[in-house]
Amino acid sequence: AQTVTQSQPEMSVQEAETVTLSCTYDTSESNYYLFWYKQPPSRQMILVIRQEAYKQQNATENRFSVNFQKAAKSFSLKISDSQLGDTAMYFCASLTGNQFYFGTGTSLTVIP
Amino acid sequence: DAGITQSPRYKITETGRQVTLMCHQTWSHSYMFWYRQDLGHGLRLIYYSAAADITDKGEVPDGYVVSRSKTENFPLTLESATRSQTSVYFCASSESSVASGGRAQYFGPGTRLLVL
């Protein structure tokens, strides 16, 4: 079975600072995709960023970027210039075949 | 642009009753998924469907039944609800699998189910 591990249940960061959320995954597939989703208190799941495993270049979306280390099976999310609206639960996920696998989440609090 | 909707948003039922959670998407996505979200477990896949009339089990399918007679609908039925099925249920849809481009899933707003 595929596994996605988020080892930081909770994190906090000062507003305007940078924070990195960790994620490791386990797959024997050569072709897969990785995602970070954000779940604010409203409970809606929102796509933050997507990475194709065959691309070495790290994906970026405005203040959000990833550090994709394929050999280490690591996929961390960096949030720059943290904003109060970034307070949420963050889930790392992998897509292998036609199934998505999610980590248990990291609760991020941005402190004013 | 309704996207993906779930109904009801909140449901209280009793042990042993049958409950159906509805999911509807307007994008004509091929893939649809049902997850449950419980504290400490993240999102766990219950069932998924690759197309109309094609469904498959996920990680935690016991006690649940799905059907997909139309591409846009993917109802989830709890045949005889148990307290352990108290959870938040999310429906999601996606255009593709890894083989066809690996696009992201899009989620509905969730249904909070309480089984007494």
Side-chain angles (χ1 to χ4, degrees), chain B residues 31-109:
Chain B
Y31 290 85
M32 295 188 76
F33 306 80
W34 274 108
Y35 295 91
R36 59 177 291 173
Q37 185 177 27
D38 306 288
L39 199 62
H41 289 280
L43 287 159
R44 292 185 290 176
L45 181 65
I46 304 170
Y47 270 95
Y48 68 100
S49 168
D53 296 323
I54 300 174
T55 62
D56 210 345
K57 295 179 180 179
E59 181 184 354
V60 289
D62 293 343
Y64 302 95
V65 175
V66 293
S67 62
R68 194 162 176 213
S69 57
K70 294 183 178 181
T71 300
E72 61 266 29
N73 297 324
F74 190 39
L76 174 74
T77 298
L78 288 65
E79 294 186 296
S80 178
T82 64
R83 290 194 182 89
S84 65
Q85 292 177 309
T86 292
S87 187
V88 180
Y89 291 85
F90 286 95
C91 179
S93 71
S94 173
E95 291 181 277
S96 69
S97 63
V98 166
S100 51
R103 298 201 176 94
Q105 287 184 321
Y106 294 91
F107 285 80

Side-chain angles (χ1 to χ4, degrees), chain A residues 10-25:
Chain A
E10 295 181 356
M11 293 190 72
S12 61
V13 62
Q14 290 291 139
E15 193 175 5
E17 297 294 311
T18 295
V19 64
T20 299
L21 280 58
S22 301
C23 173
T24 58
Y25 60 93

Side-chain angles (χ1 to χ4, degrees), chain A residues 61-112:
Chain A
E61 284 288 340
N62 301 312
R63 297 183 295 108
F64 299 89
S65 62
V66 299
N67 183 5
F68 175 46
Q69 303 289 328
K70 191 170 184 177
K73 295 183 179 177
S74 170
F75 182 60
S76 60
L77 175 70
K78 186 172 83 170
I79 306 174
S80 304
D81 186 26
S82 296
Q83 300 176 359
L84 297 178
D86 295 333
T87 292
M89 196 77 167
Y90 287 82
F91 290 96
C92 178
S94 69
L95 170 59
T96 306
N98 54 17
Q99 285 202 39
F100 287 79
Y101 299 88
F102 286 82
T104 52
T106 296
S107 177
L108 176 68
T109 301
V110 179
I111 302 167

Side-chain angles (χ1 to χ4, degrees), chain A residues 1-7 21-36 51 53 58 66-77 92-94 96:
Chain A
Q2 312 290 334
T3 57
V4 176
T5 303
Q6 294 179 250
S7 58
L21 280 58
S22 301
C23 173
T24 58
Y25 60 93
D26 180 18
T27 180
S28 57
E29 301 292 328
S30 59
N31 192 18
Y32 54 91
Y33 293 79
L34 299 166
F35 306 85
W36 277 96
Q51 173 79 42
N58 290 325
V66 299
N67 183 5
F68 175 46
Q69 303 289 328
K70 191 170 184 177
K73 295 183 179 177
S74 170
F75 182 60
S76 60
L77 175 70
C92 178
S94 69
T96 306

